[in-house]
Amino acid sequence: VIEDEFREIIMPNIEKAIADISLQFPEEDLNCLAITEMPSGGQSEKIFHIINQKTNQDVIRFHVRRDHPPQEGFIFNFHYHTVHDQFQFHHELGVIYWDKNTPPQWMS
């Protein structure tokens, strides 16, 4: 249902975030970065993470949170976290409105 908005709004921002984070690593370390295989299902936030395969540590975590502001319906808040701030700060990728009805579980 949100596929078009995701491709137009969120995907370009994910690509930019990956490009920006890759600039912070030496070129020889870029070959060690990999995307995790499986997103989390249900109401979990995880979309995917990029890890350093040498250290098996997360480098960047892409998440989506399902918010429900009172009287406004549901929205999907796409964001990411980086190792550079110990995954504490939300870096916004974009927000997509769903509907007043409850969205389905992830991966269902």
Side-chain angles (χ1 to χ4, degrees):
V1 173
I2 63 169
E3 182 177 352
D4 290 341
E5 288 177 279
F6 181 84
R7 286 180 193 214
E8 292 171 15
I9 299 167
I10 307 304
M11 213 41 213
N13 290 332
I14 288 174
E15 291 168 352
K16 183 181 181 323
I18 292 171
D20 289 349
I21 198 90
S22 67
L23 294 175
Q24 299 174 24
F25 286 90
E27 191 169 330
E28 60 272 8
D29 287 349
L30 293 178
N31 291 332
C32 299
L33 299 181
I35 295 176
T36 55
E37 294 292 323
M38 293 295 295
S40 298
Q43 293 186 17
S44 177
E45 288 193 11
K46 179 180 173 183
I47 300 173
F48 68 91
H49 294 176
I50 295 179
I51 62 169
N52 181 327
Q53 291 180 310
K54 279 185 188 175
T55 63
N56 206 33
Q57 298 293 314
D58 288 348
V59 172
I60 188 168
R61 299 172 180 168
F62 290 94
H63 292 168
V64 60
R65 185 178 63 237
R66 184 169 70 173
D67 293 334
H68 188 210
Q71 307 295 320
E72 293 184 31
F74 288 89
I75 59 172
F76 294 117
N77 176 302
F78 293 87
H79 59 278
Y80 66 96
H81 309 272
T82 72
V83 66
H84 300 297
D85 59 16
Q86 289 73 48
F87 306 105
Q88 296 301 307
F89 186 74
H90 277 113
H91 302 271
E92 293 296 325
L93 294 167
V95 173
I96 298 176
Y97 177 77
W98 171 261
D99 196 296
K100 295 217 180 223
N101 296 322
T102 304
Q105 301 286 324
W106 295 117
M107 307 301 292
S108 61

